[in-house]
Amino acid sequence: MAAKDGAAAPGKSGASSKHEALVRASLSAVAPGQALRDGLERIVRGNTGGLIVLGMDKTVEAMCTGGFVLDVEFTATRLRELCKLDGALILDKDITKILRAGVQLVPDASIPTEETGTRHRTADRVSKQCGFPVVSVSQSMRLIALYVDGERRVLEESGAILSRANQALATLERYKLRLDEVAGTLSALEIEDLVTVRDVSAVAQRLEMVRRIATEIAEYVVELGTDGRLLSLQLDELTVGVEGERELVARDYVPEPTAKRSRTVDEALADLDALTHAELLELPIVAKALGYSGSPETLDSAVSPRGYRLLAKVPRLPGAIIERLVEHFGGLQKLLAASVDDLQTVDGVGEARARSVREGLSRLAESSILERYV
């Protein structure tokens, strides 16, 4: 199982990112195809129930009374047999050893919980107190529940998860098709220097929608374990380049800082990520997240790209060179008008690379116009 710490993702607070990383790692540990999931399903079929702590430290040790110290290798069959004992099992956090069996766990009774059954109340409190994931297998309801970082997840059969995942995948395909349409329109408008805030907001909106549904599907992939391999391949194919495109749009169109207003790309991406689903459907609110005024009238205001997005489509053009080109020319229209000699004045751009940039931009301009008008 992964460590409890996780790096902060763009647009997420450190605490939120850490929580998501812990939940995802815990779900991965109990996903189909893992030895732990095999053991849990054996317990359900055996109709015995169980309480399993996925980690051991001084806090857990202080909650343990009675039972047996084992320190033996973990196997699904051992898990099943030891759960016949009237008590909890303690595993190491990597789920390679069974450390204790038949123990009674006595967590702090003042920790709030909404669970009702004794086993589930204990599982919830132990997880909250020690920070480790805890699995509870209900004998009467034949359910497997995972308690992690204050959250309860009931593990479902792969068929039920796949059904929802396939519905989400169909939605993602529709979102991606619409994203490709508005992104193609934006490229053509960039070439003609006819872009408005509305056009930029529409692309940012669709990128965020694709990203969010992809995140939902990625969680299904984790829950499915080995049963989610095909779904994972389809997800990767549909979302390739989306995260990079999202950043490039922001770098092209986030307004230049002024005395009254200073806005960074990271701040704009974080604000887009923080929009609720209802807010994301409103283009003025999306425009405001990007750094514009947010009034409906602003949507028809003309804007010009800096050129990051189109230059990124030129083959074999390093990011450092793209930065220098944008800094030197200051905007896409000047880049499109630049000759090979003009391009060579930029540090690091020789004749061969200048011709490559010139030809690449020309081909992109031609194809974008053809796609829009033919």
Side-chain angles (χ1 to χ4, degrees):
M1 203 169 84
K4 287 193 274 186
D5 291 331
K12 299 286 186 183
S13 68
S16 175
S17 177
K18 185 176 180 180
H19 169 78
E20 290 177 6
L22 180 55
V23 170
R24 182 164 294 194
S26 303
L27 286 171
S28 179
V30 296
Q34 299 294 327
L36 178 56
R37 181 59 173 262
D38 183 22
L40 294 173
E41 289 177 348
R42 288 169 184 261
I43 296 169
V44 172
R45 290 194 297 269
N47 200 32
T48 55
L51 184 61
I52 305 151
V53 182
L54 307 183
M56 179 67 163
D57 60 8
K58 292 181 179 179
T59 303
V60 176
E61 190 172 5
M63 285 187 275
C64 295
T65 60
F68 309 96
V69 177
L70 297 178
D71 196 19
V72 297
E73 182 182 357
F74 171 84
T75 65
T77 53
R78 280 177 178 162
L79 185 76
R80 161 74 180 93
E81 293 301 319
L82 290 170
C83 275
K84 292 179 181 179
L85 298 174
D86 187 17
L89 270 67
I90 313 295
L91 311 183
D92 69 331
K93 68 177 182 179
D94 296 319
I95 314 178
T96 58
K97 288 182 177 295
I98 301 174
L99 303 178
R100 293 195 180 187
V103 301
Q104 181 183 1
L105 293 170
V106 187
D108 185 352
S110 66
I111 296 174
T113 177
E114 297 180 359
E115 298 296 327
T116 53
T118 303
R119 181 179 286 133
H120 300 299
R121 291 172 68 86
T122 301
D124 192 18
R125 283 174 170 154
V126 169
S127 176
K128 289 175 179 177
Q129 186 170 341
C130 69
F132 289 115
V134 179
V135 180
S136 175
V137 183
S138 172
Q139 182 176 357
S140 59
M141 299 181 66
R142 301 175 64 85
L143 291 177
I144 304 171
L146 174 68
Y147 295 86
V148 52
D149 202 25
E151 186 174 338
R152 178 179 185 263
R153 292 286 189 100
V154 175
L155 306 187
E156 300 178 89
E157 294 292 332
S158 293
I161 300 172
L162 271 173
S163 177
R164 293 202 306 275
N166 285 328
Q167 291 178 5
L169 192 66
T171 302
L172 177 60
E173 289 174 345
R174 293 195 299 271
Y175 281 9
K176 185 60 165 57
L177 183 62
R178 180 58 181 154
L179 170 60
D180 291 342
E181 290 175 0
V182 296
T185 298
L186 180 62
S187 296
L189 292 172
E190 286 178 341
I191 300 298
E192 300 177 83
D193 198 21
L194 296 175
V195 180
T196 65
V197 174
R198 184 186 304 276
D199 303 313
V200 178
S201 300
V203 173
Q205 177 194 59
R206 289 292 164 174
L207 282 165
E208 191 63 30
M209 291 170 76
V210 166
R211 181 171 172 268
R212 292 186 184 191
I213 194 71
T215 300
E216 181 181 332
I217 297 172
E219 291 183 3
Y220 291 138
V221 170
V222 172
E223 290 186 65
L224 286 165
T226 55
D227 295 337
R229 287 172 294 188
L230 180 58
L231 182 66
S232 178
L233 291 173
Q234 292 173 293
L235 176 62
D236 290 344
E237 183 179 4
L238 286 170
T239 57
V240 62
V242 168
E243 195 65 42
E245 180 86 350
R246 180 172 174 266
E247 182 177 347
L248 289 170
V249 169
R251 295 184 73 188
D252 261 349
Y253 291 103
V254 168
E256 293 286 353
T258 62
K260 293 184 179 180
R261 182 179 58 190
S262 178
R263 191 97 175 137
T264 67
V265 170
D266 286 342
E267 288 171 343
L269 294 177
D271 282 357
L272 283 170
D273 188 47
L275 295 179
T276 66
H277 181 69
E279 289 172 337
L280 189 59
L281 298 177
E282 301 292 335
L283 286 183
I285 298 178
V286 175
K288 186 175 182 179
L290 287 169
Y292 298 97
S293 71
S295 65
E297 296 77 15
T298 303
L299 294 177
D300 296 318
S301 301
V303 288
S304 295
R306 296 180 178 92
Y308 288 107
R309 183 168 164 272
L310 237 57
L311 282 172
K313 298 180 186 294
V314 177
R316 297 180 294 280
L317 192 59
I321 299 299
I322 292 176
E323 290 282 356
R324 292 173 195 163
L325 287 168
V326 171
E327 185 178 353
H328 181 86
F329 289 98
L332 180 61
Q333 291 304 310
K334 291 183 180 179
L335 272 165
L336 291 171
S339 65
V340 172
D341 290 338
D342 295 333
L343 292 168
Q344 287 186 75
T345 61
V346 178
D347 186 30
V349 179
E351 182 179 355
R353 179 162 284 164
R355 291 188 183 280
S356 175
V357 172
R358 177 69 270 145
E359 292 170 4
L361 289 174
S362 297
R363 282 195 299 270
L364 287 168
E366 183 179 346
S367 63
S368 296
I369 297 300
L370 284 174
E371 286 179 13
R372 178 168 168 78
Y373 294 107
V374 175

